[in-house]
Amino acid sequence: MAGEPDGGRASAATRRRGAVLEQAILDAAAEELKESGYSGLSMDRVARRAGTNKNAIYRRWPSRAALAVAAYGRMTVTEARVPDTGELRGDALELLRAANRHLSSPLGRILLDLLASARDDPDLLAEIHARTGGDGLTGMWLTVLGRAVARGEAAPEALHPRVATVPIALLRNEFLTRGVTGVPDEVLVEIIDDVYLPLVRGRAPR
């Protein structure tokens, strides 16, 4: 169409509406993240790959950060299972081992890239926490810790999101500051036995 350089893509965007167009954009953004990481994510390239225009993207996601986190979230939609071994130590180790497997995977590396980029990008950090609660695991950690409180294994004052997710923070630190591609199981056991369990068992009111 004259005067409209993206005419073909604009026509395609007109034909594809709602969930169909949204899925095409998220799929395109996911492929860009896999290929180039967050630092290389370009709205122009996402638009070209999705066969649409940037206006269609910005109507749904107001920023590159919002699109990146939404695309990552779409890639990681799973039926998460909360472990129930009957004891806090067993539950915590299962959760931490699952998180370690995820962070060692291609999808996990995308999350680590987003978290590393968020250090210098407040908008990206806000999107990560607003849309995923950090990485989507906070609720599961609170569930297993709540069960432990009910069984008398942990102090009631420990039932707080920041306390519950200490193991995840320490695990991320291993990946982000040491540059490892996977954390040895003995380190996971140390995080639970030497840091987490003493913390939640001895948590005192402020």
Side-chain angles (χ1 to χ4, degrees), residues 2 7 29 32 37 50 52 57 77 87 92-93 106 127 129 146 159 181-182 187 197:
E32 288 291 321
T52 185
I57 299 175
V77 173
E87 62 164 5
L93 278 172
E127 286 291 337
H129 284 282
L159 197 56
T181 56
V187 175
L197 293 181

Side-chain angles (χ1 to χ4, degrees), residues 1-177:
M1 182 182 296
E4 206 174 302
D6 290 338
R9 291 193 295 276
S11 297
T14 300
R15 291 192 297 271
R16 293 179 301 153
R17 298 178 182 275
V20 174
L21 178 56
E22 180 176 302
Q23 183 63 60
I25 294 169
L26 288 175
D27 287 346
E31 290 304 314
E32 288 291 321
L33 283 173
K34 291 174 186 176
E35 291 178 9
S36 307
Y38 179 70
S39 61
L41 182 67
S42 160
M43 297 296 237
D44 285 317
R45 284 200 300 274
V46 171
R48 285 196 295 272
R49 190 186 285 264
T52 185
N53 55 64
K54 287 195 294 184
N55 287 338
I57 299 175
Y58 282 115
R59 280 196 297 271
R60 293 161 174 80
W61 298 280
S63 67
R64 192 169 67 105
L67 176 61
V69 174
Y72 170 77
R74 182 61 66 90
M75 284 188 282
T76 57
V77 173
T78 58
E79 290 280 336
R81 185 183 68 84
V82 180
D84 189 3
T85 65
E87 62 164 5
L88 177 57
R89 183 179 186 273
D91 290 347
L93 278 172
E94 280 202 22
L95 280 179
L96 198 59
R97 284 165 175 157
N100 188 41
R101 288 192 296 271
H102 176 67
L103 291 176
S104 302
S105 72
L107 282 180
R109 287 192 285 276
I110 291 174
L111 175 60
L112 290 170
D113 179 45
L114 290 172
L115 291 170
S117 299
R119 293 171 177 170
D120 302 312
D121 189 336
D123 290 340
L124 177 58
L125 182 61
E127 286 291 337
I128 291 172
H129 284 282
R131 291 177 179 265
T132 69
D135 58 9
L137 292 175
T138 301
M140 289 193 287
W141 282 94
L142 284 170
T143 296
V144 300
L145 186 54
R147 290 173 182 165
V149 169
R151 290 191 297 259
E153 289 185 86
E157 296 80 17
L159 197 56
H160 184 282
R162 290 190 185 278
V163 177
T165 56
V166 161
I168 288 295
L170 295 176
L171 180 65
R172 284 184 193 156
N173 185 68
E174 292 290 321
F175 280 92
L176 292 171
T177 64

